Amino acid sequence: EGLQTIVDSLLRKEKPVRPFFGMGLVMADERRRLKFEIDAQPAHPLIAYLIPGSPAAQEDVRPGEVLIAVGGEKVATVWDAGTRLLAAAPGGPGVALTLARRGAERQVTVVPVTEK
């Protein structure tokens, strides 16, 4: 849904309005698993970095945390997470993120802004 809205905007030669969370997601490779002490299974996206002052940074999302679920739906790949995150409305209701680090899960709500 979110991706289709962006494609439709581009087809109309309009600048797409995308939600901006300010975090980069990757799948954990062996180096990152060791650095952040992450189990290999099950696979989930990893927060690789944050943009200072971004919505995710303001909600204390941290690099090295594993993204377990977006909006209560489990995510196994960066694609899964990105699809769900792109469906959010900038400035709209916050998106619940379930994060884990060293076995401890927590939930935060991040309100995306319009990507600049």
Side-chain angles (χ1 to χ4, degrees):
E1 177 181 302
L3 185 57
Q4 188 60 50
T5 303
I6 292 168
V7 170
D8 292 343
S9 295
L10 291 171
L11 289 172
R12 291 190 304 268
K13 297 188 180 351
E14 298 171 358
K15 184 174 193 255
V17 176
R18 291 186 289 224
F20 175 74
F21 290 86
M23 59 186 181
L25 299 174
V26 298
M27 293 308 290
D29 57 14
E30 190 59 31
R31 181 179 62 82
R32 286 187 176 105
R33 277 193 203 95
L34 289 171
K35 178 179 178 181
F36 295 116
E37 300 175 24
I38 299 169
D39 291 333
Q41 296 299 326
H44 294 284
L46 172 73
I47 309 293
Y49 65 88
L50 293 165
I51 308 267
S54 68
Q58 290 175 0
E59 294 303 326
D60 199 30
V61 174
R62 290 169 271 196
E65 288 185 298
V66 175
L67 182 58
I68 304 292
V70 175
E73 295 184 42
K74 291 210 181 273
V75 292
T77 65
V78 172
W79 176 263
D80 291 344
T83 301
R84 289 185 178 87
L85 292 168
L86 280 174
V95 177
L97 305 180
T98 304
L99 304 165
R101 183 171 201 135
R102 296 186 179 111
E105 281 192 21
R106 68 187 185 105
Q107 193 166 28
V108 298
T109 299
V110 180
V111 177
V113 296
T114 302
E115 183 180 56
K116 296 176 171 78

